[in-house]
């Protein structure tokens, strides 16, 4: 969430799920909310029923897009252009919040000059969205007293993901849509505890609560608490780690509860890296594709067998409670880590996760007031700096975490891989409702498998005709990096020139095709857009 | 006898509260929690089935060690002993930069914290990340 950190000083969902129904306008961009965050999707629908206007920007006609007041059906990777053009319209029409800009922000003049070039007409040529629709969307968003933006993977999985987020926060600050209930900029995090993993410092450059490893005072504080020196240079991100492993710099990996052998972009590289490691430990509840590469596999228990906390996408710390005993000889992750540390001569003495949380609270300003005795009810939204603090439903009330909000002009970076004669279509990847991430859990469930048993590729009817493909044909999808096959779903729901493949399925892992260009700041792999071609494989799905 | 335990759905970041119904030591059903919950008595299809994979026959039940390319079952003592030995040796020979640690957005806060602590304080590396970027 590097983009948000730059502009507002905090990288989390600014507002609460509860407030969605208080908004007058909801702008959903790059998020197939209904399938990825079903509860939030249903709140959006509820808001629409209450009269809120919904704007959806997505290359697919998603469930929400079908119910939207305006669907901006843009080409993958052109979000910045769309947003810049909306800003252009708002400034041109004088719909910005002068008071808010004056009091709470800096850099407006620079932004104003910069977006002059982004007329809706120019944006139409790049995004494929009609200039008139861009104008309408901009006016509706700016005209609302309370407008909220929800965004997800579609925005954060491009090589320009940081820019996309900065562009959105420009839009938010321009209209003063922040620091009040029912407004804000809300990144929807994918897995259940992404927010918690970030808050806890499972990141290469920061410790808990985003305290930087480069800050000597921070290192000093953790040295005192942990009794060990913290390395002073930021470490490597996931994709960088796999590169380093391939180059032989990283020799050993310890992977818990992740399945990068399906989820990472440019998969063949990841497999090569995993296979080449001197020593690999994987700790999981199933023998995943990744675990098969391991030298030692440690059986963890599931969420039902342990105590702990998860932090929601809207920053609510909630209690996870043990319901059943660990299966077989499996153990909770925390206990395995404690035992491993002990064997390496480092003493961790926790008897229960609540004691770990007490230590977290003592080292982390934003979790300072969190303790298990306070989590019996609905949980507490962080930041919660002290024991008497009620928690924070929305951020940036009177000032931004960084002081003044900063407008930063954003240039358009076209997708790293352009389509050409050989690879004429843009591939975009994503989730479906019935599965979760790489499917390690959901694919074990009969009902979900029946609803959505395997991979598929969505193709627009015009493209299908062009390539001689009909519904149900097995289709080969090829990029410069690999090839997969999947049955075709010919549907109007996908924009012409674009194909969609879900990434849950190991047997047709979309990430064999994707490209591993990283966003230079956020280091997000560009899973969302790459060039492919398709051809019919001469069989029908279900043959053989 | 069935009883239930209020906990959190393991699937997405909405954090719906669920009641896991337990019978004879097994999770048999999931129902939405009503009180103190963001979801107020509703659940999506994934949440309704949150109990199902818990007792999947494919669950790992014991540590595994690979020998000549195949896994064999092992005790915790043996498995953790090997991990600690190999980690210690690699740390001595190549230092913290030789480690890569992937924590999990599915693990609890406390577990992510301990992974960070293990990476930094024990393995001497900042090479720790998770898939938030995904
Ligand atoms: S029940 Fe559905 S919407 Fe709620 S947390 Fe689980 S997966 Fe998300």
């Amino acid at each position: 969430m590097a983009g948000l950190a730059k502009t507002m000083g905090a990288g989390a969902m600014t507002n609460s799920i509860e407030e969605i129904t208080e908004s007058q306008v909801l702008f959903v961009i790059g998020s197939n909310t209904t399938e990825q965050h079903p509860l939030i999707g249903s709140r959006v629908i509820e808001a629409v029923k209450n009269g809120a206007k919904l704007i959806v920007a997505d290359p697919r006609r998603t469930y929400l897009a079908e119910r939207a007041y305006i669907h901006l059906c843009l080409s993958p990777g052109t979000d910045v252009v769309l947003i810049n053009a909306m800003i252009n319209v708002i400034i041109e029409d004088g719909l910005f919040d002068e008071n808010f800009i004056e009091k709470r922000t800096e850099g407006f003049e620079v932004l104003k000059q910069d977006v002059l070039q982004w007329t809706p007409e120019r944006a139409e040529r790049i995004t494929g969205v009609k200039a008139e629709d861009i104008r309408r969307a901009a006016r509706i968003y700016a005209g609302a007293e309370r407008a909220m933006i929800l965004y997800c993977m579609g925005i954060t999985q491009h090589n320009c993901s940081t820019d996309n987020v900065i562009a959105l926060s420009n839009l938010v600050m321009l209209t003063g849509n922040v620091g009040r209930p029912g407004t804000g900029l809300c990144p929807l995090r994918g897995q259940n505890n992404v927010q918690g993993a970030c808050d806890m410092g499972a990141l290469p450059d920061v410790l808990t609560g985003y305290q930087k490893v480069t800050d000597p005072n921070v290192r000093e504080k953790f040295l005192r608490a942990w009794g060990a020196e913290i390395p002073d240079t930021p470490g490597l991100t996931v994709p960088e780690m796999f590169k380093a492993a391939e180059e032989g710099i990283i020799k050993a990996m310890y992977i818990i509860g992740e399945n990068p052998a399906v989820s990472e972009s440019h998969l063949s590289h990841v497999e090569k890296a995993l296979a080449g490691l001197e020593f690999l430990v994987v700790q999981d509840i199933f023998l995943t594709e990744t675990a098969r590469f391991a030298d030692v596999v440690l059986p963890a228990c599931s969420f039902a067998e342990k105590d702990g906390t998860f932090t929601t996408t809207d920053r609510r710390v909630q209690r996870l409670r043990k319901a059943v005993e660990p299966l077989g000889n499996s153990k909770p992750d925390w206990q395995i880590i404690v035992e491993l540390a002990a064997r390496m001569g480092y003493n961790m003495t926790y008897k229960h996760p609540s004691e770990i949380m007490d230590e977290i609270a003592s080292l982390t300003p934003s979790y300072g007031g969190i303790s298990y005795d306070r989590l019996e009810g609905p949980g507490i939204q962080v930041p919660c700096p002290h024991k008497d603090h009620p928690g924070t439903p929305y951020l940036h009330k009177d000032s931004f975490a960084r002081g003044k909000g900063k407008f930063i002009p954003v240039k358009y970076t076209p997708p790293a891989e352009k389509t050409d004669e050989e690879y004429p279509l843009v591939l975009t990847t994503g989730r479906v409702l019935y599965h979760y991430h790489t499917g390690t859990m959901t694919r074990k469930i009969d009902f979900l498998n029946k609803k959505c048993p395997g991979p598929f590729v969505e193709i627009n009817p015009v493209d299908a005709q062009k390539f001689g493909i009909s519904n149900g044909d097995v289709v080969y999808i090829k990029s410069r990096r690999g090839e997969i096959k999947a049955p075709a779903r010919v549907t109007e729901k996908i924009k012409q020139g674009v194909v969609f493949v879900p990434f849950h399925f190991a047997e047709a892992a979309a990430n064999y095709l994707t490209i591993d260009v990283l966003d230079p700041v956020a280091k997000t792999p560009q899973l969302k857009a790459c060039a492919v071609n398709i051809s019919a494989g001469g069989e029908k799905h279900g043959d053989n | 006898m069935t009883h239930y335990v209020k906990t959190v759905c393991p699937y997405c970041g909405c954090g719906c509260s669920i009641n896991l119904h337990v019978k004879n030591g097994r999770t048999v059903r999931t129902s939405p929690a009503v009180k103190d919950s963001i979801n107020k008595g509703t659940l999506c299809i994934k949440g309704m089935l949150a109990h199902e994979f818990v007792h999947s026959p494919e669950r790992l039940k014991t540590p595994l060690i690979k020998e000549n390319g195949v896994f064999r079952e092992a005790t915790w003592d043996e498995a953790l002993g090997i991990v600690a030995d190999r980690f210690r040796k690699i740390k001595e020979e190549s230092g913290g930069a030789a480690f890569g640690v992937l924590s999990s957005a599915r693990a609890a806060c406390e577990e992510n914290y301990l992974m960070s602590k293990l990476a930094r304080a024990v393995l001497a590396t900042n090479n720790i990340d998770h898939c938030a970027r995904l």
Side-chain angles (χ1 to χ4, degrees):
Chain A
M1 294 294 111
L4 264 187
K6 262 192 188 170
T7 54
M8 298 186 188
M13 186 159 160
T14 61
N15 289 58
S16 296
I17 295 171
E18 299 264 9
E19 296 166 18
I20 293 172
T21 43
E22 294 173 37
S23 301
Q24 297 164 329
V25 169
L26 291 156
F27 180 22
V28 175
I29 176 162
S31 158
N32 186 358
T33 320
T34 308
E35 307 216 0
Q36 295 164 345
H37 297 89
L39 175 80
I40 292 175
S42 67
R43 287 297 148 78
V44 170
I45 292 295
E46 205 181 314
V48 171
K49 284 192 184 131
N50 294 344
K53 288 203 167 97
L54 173 63
I55 305 167
V56 174
D58 203 299
R60 293 175 75 207
R61 204 167 76 216
T62 59
Y63 183 88
L64 287 187
E66 262 170 10
R67 284 151 187 81
Y69 192 73
I70 305 178
H71 175 202
L72 307 166
C73 187
L74 79 175
S75 303
T78 62
D79 310 73
V80 160
V81 176
L82 177 74
I83 302 158
N84 278 346
M86 286 175 71
I87 293 173
N88 172 295
V89 173
I90 291 167
I91 294 177
E92 197 72 6
D93 290 8
L95 296 172
F96 50 90
D97 186 337
E98 243 181 307
N99 198 7
F100 185 90
I101 293 168
E102 168 75 31
K103 282 208 187 95
R104 303 264 321 251
T105 69
E106 59 193 26
F108 177 59
E109 279 310 314
V110 182
L111 177 78
K112 194 173 161 183
Q113 286 309 313
D114 184 76
V115 296
L116 279 178
Q117 53 178 314
W118 288 111
T119 60
E121 281 68 25
R122 183 171 167 213
E124 174 176 337
R125 288 194 293 275
I126 297 172
T127 61
V129 178
K130 285 201 187 68
E132 206 30 54
D133 285 342
I134 299 175
R135 284 204 173 84
R136 276 171 62 220
R139 285 169 189 151
I140 288 169
Y141 176 79
E145 207 173 295
R146 294 181 304 279
M148 188 188 279
I149 299 179
L150 304 167
Y151 69 93
C152 192
M153 318 276 283
I155 280 284
T156 55
Q157 274 182 12
H158 287 291
N159 61 341
C160 45
S161 70
T162 306
D163 286 348
N164 286 344
V165 177
I166 293 174
L168 284 176
S169 56
N170 287 340
L171 182 60
V172 164
M173 292 190 296
L174 182 70
T175 52
N177 268 308
V178 64
R180 291 176 290 123
T183 65
L185 183 51
C186 299
L188 306 180
R189 320 306 293 271
Q191 300 194 12
N192 55 337
N193 198 29
V194 177
Q195 189 64 44
C198 291
D199 290 351
M200 291 303 108
L203 290 167
D205 54 341
V206 293
L207 293 146
T208 61
Y210 310 93
Q211 303 176 80
K212 290 194 164 60
V213 297
T214 48
D215 180 339
N217 295 327
V218 168
R219 287 202 308 277
E220 174 65 29
K221 175 166 118 181
F222 279 82
L223 168 65
R224 260 183 279 130
W226 289 359
E229 293 280 352
I230 312 298
D232 60 1
T233 45
L236 305 177
T237 63
V238 179
E240 289 170 341
M241 277 189 229
F242 285 117
K243 274 222 170 76
E246 233 188 325
E247 290 160 5
I249 298 164
I250 284 185
K251 297 181 169 29
M253 287 188 83
Y254 182 19
I255 301 178
I256 76 164
E258 295 282 9
N259 196 8
V262 176
S263 65
E264 283 294 305
S265 65
H266 206 162
L267 261 193
S268 39
H269 273 283
V270 173
E271 289 178 348
K272 213 169 125 201
L274 289 172
L277 285 170
E278 223 173 281
F279 190 60
L280 172 64
V281 183
V282 174
Q283 180 170 315
D284 210 315
I285 58 178
F286 294 113
L287 193 65
T288 58
E289 288 78 9
T290 305
R292 293 181 199 285
F293 288 94
D295 297 284
V296 175
V297 179
L298 302 173
C301 41
S302 78
F303 81 107
E305 297 142 68
K306 64 187 180 189
D307 286 316
T309 57
F310 287 150
T311 304
T312 61
T313 191
D314 65 345
R315 300 172 278 101
R316 186 183 298 276
V317 186
Q318 301 194 112
R319 262 304 301 281
L320 183 66
R321 293 181 184 85
K322 179 175 167 178
V324 292
E325 287 304 316
L327 214 71
N329 293 325
S330 68
K331 292 184 185 192
D333 288 304
W334 67 269
Q335 213 171 319
I336 303 173
I337 302 163
V338 166
E339 289 177 24
L340 177 59
R343 286 188 181 251
M344 295 193 67
Y346 185 91
N347 211 10
M348 296 185 183
T349 53
Y350 321 102
K351 285 189 270 325
H352 187 264
S354 61
E355 298 172 9
I356 307 173
M357 184 51 85
D358 292 341
E359 183 175 312
I360 294 165
S362 74
L363 287 166
T364 315
S366 55
Y367 279 66
I370 304 288
S371 60
Y372 275 33
D373 57 312
R374 292 191 69 195
L375 298 178
E376 280 308 309
I380 297 175
Q381 282 175 291
V382 289
C384 173
H386 55 80
K387 290 278 177 244
D388 304 316
H389 193 285
T392 310
Y394 58 93
L395 305 176
H396 314 306
K397 188 168 179 229
D398 300 308
S399 68
F400 289 104
R402 73 176 291 279
K404 285 214 166 189
K406 187 168 185 183
F407 288 109
I408 304 173
V410 180
K411 279 200 193 60
Y412 169 55
T413 319
E417 191 173 60
K418 287 212 184 72
T419 53
D420 54 23
E421 262 172 41
E422 204 181 338
Y423 298 98
L425 299 167
V426 181
L427 168 80
T428 176
T429 67
R431 293 158 198 267
V432 294
L433 171 63
Y434 296 109
H435 289 290
Y436 176 73
H437 211 57
T438 66
T440 46
M441 299 193 285
T442 46
R443 294 198 76 192
K444 308 281 189 296
I445 299 174
D446 281 348
F447 177 83
L448 299 181
N449 265 334
K450 271 184 204 127
K451 279 279 176 192
C452 180
F456 59 84
V457 50
E458 284 184 359
I459 304 166
N460 182 280
V462 177
D463 295 323
Q465 201 181 12
K466 205 172 354 173
F467 290 90
I469 288 162
S470 43
N471 204 29
D473 283 355
V474 171
V475 171
Y476 288 89
I477 310 130
K478 198 168 163 219
S479 79
R480 287 187 179 80
R481 288 153 299 278
E483 183 179 63
I484 62 170
K485 62 175 187 175
R489 273 194 198 169
V490 176
T491 168
E492 296 273 358
K493 287 191 179 179
I494 186 84
K495 189 178 169 70
Q496 209 181 312
V498 181
V499 294
F500 170 83
V501 178
F503 67 53
H504 310 280
F505 305 102
E507 66 270 36
N511 294 336
Y512 279 115
L513 306 173
T514 47
I515 188 168
D516 53 3
V517 177
L518 297 182
D519 176 274
V521 181
K523 308 269 168 71
T524 329
Q526 191 185 27
L527 292 191
K528 281 281 168 180
C530 76
V532 295
N533 70 30
I534 55 175
S535 56
E539 33 180 326
K540 273 274 176 204
H541 184 49
D543 287 0
N544 71 38
Chain B
M1 261 296 285
T2 313
H3 70 284
Y4 66 83
V5 176
K6 185 184 175 223
T7 187
V8 188
C9 172
Y11 286 122
C12 87
C14 294
C16 293
S17 294
I18 58 173
N19 291 325
L20 275 182
H21 297 244
V22 179
K23 194 178 177 183
N24 299 330
R26 293 172 69 93
T27 56
V28 291
R29 193 163 83 85
T30 310
S31 64
V34 181
K35 191 171 166 271
D36 291 336
S37 76
I38 180 74
N39 44 310
K40 300 185 176 65
T42 64
L43 280 182
C44 83
I45 181 68
K46 277 181 288 192
M48 286 304 281
L49 299 174
H51 60 284
E52 282 222 350
F53 73 91
V54 173
H55 299 281
S56 160
E58 290 174 48
R59 279 280 305 272
L60 286 165
K61 294 203 184 78
T62 191
L64 303 173
I65 294 173
K66 198 182 268 167
E67 261 171 17
N68 305 320
V70 286
F71 285 120
R72 66 163 173 84
E73 297 193 346
T75 61
W76 276 105
D77 193 48
E78 189 189 6
L80 285 177
I82 290 178
V83 176
D85 281 351
R86 296 293 300 268
F87 278 0
R88 206 180 301 118
K89 216 164 137 242
I90 288 167
K91 187 178 160 188
E92 271 162 26
E93 282 166 7
S94 315
F99 290 102
V101 175
L102 256 60
S103 195
S104 173
R106 296 201 280 244
C109 291
E110 293 78 0
E111 294 164 338
N112 276 288
Y113 171 76
L114 288 193
M115 279 301 266
S116 162
K117 189 169 176 179
L118 182 93
R120 282 150 169 148
V122 183
L123 301 176
T125 186
N126 278 324
N127 293 342
I128 173 167
D129 200 358
H130 67 289
C131 72
R133 297 181 162 82
L134 287 175

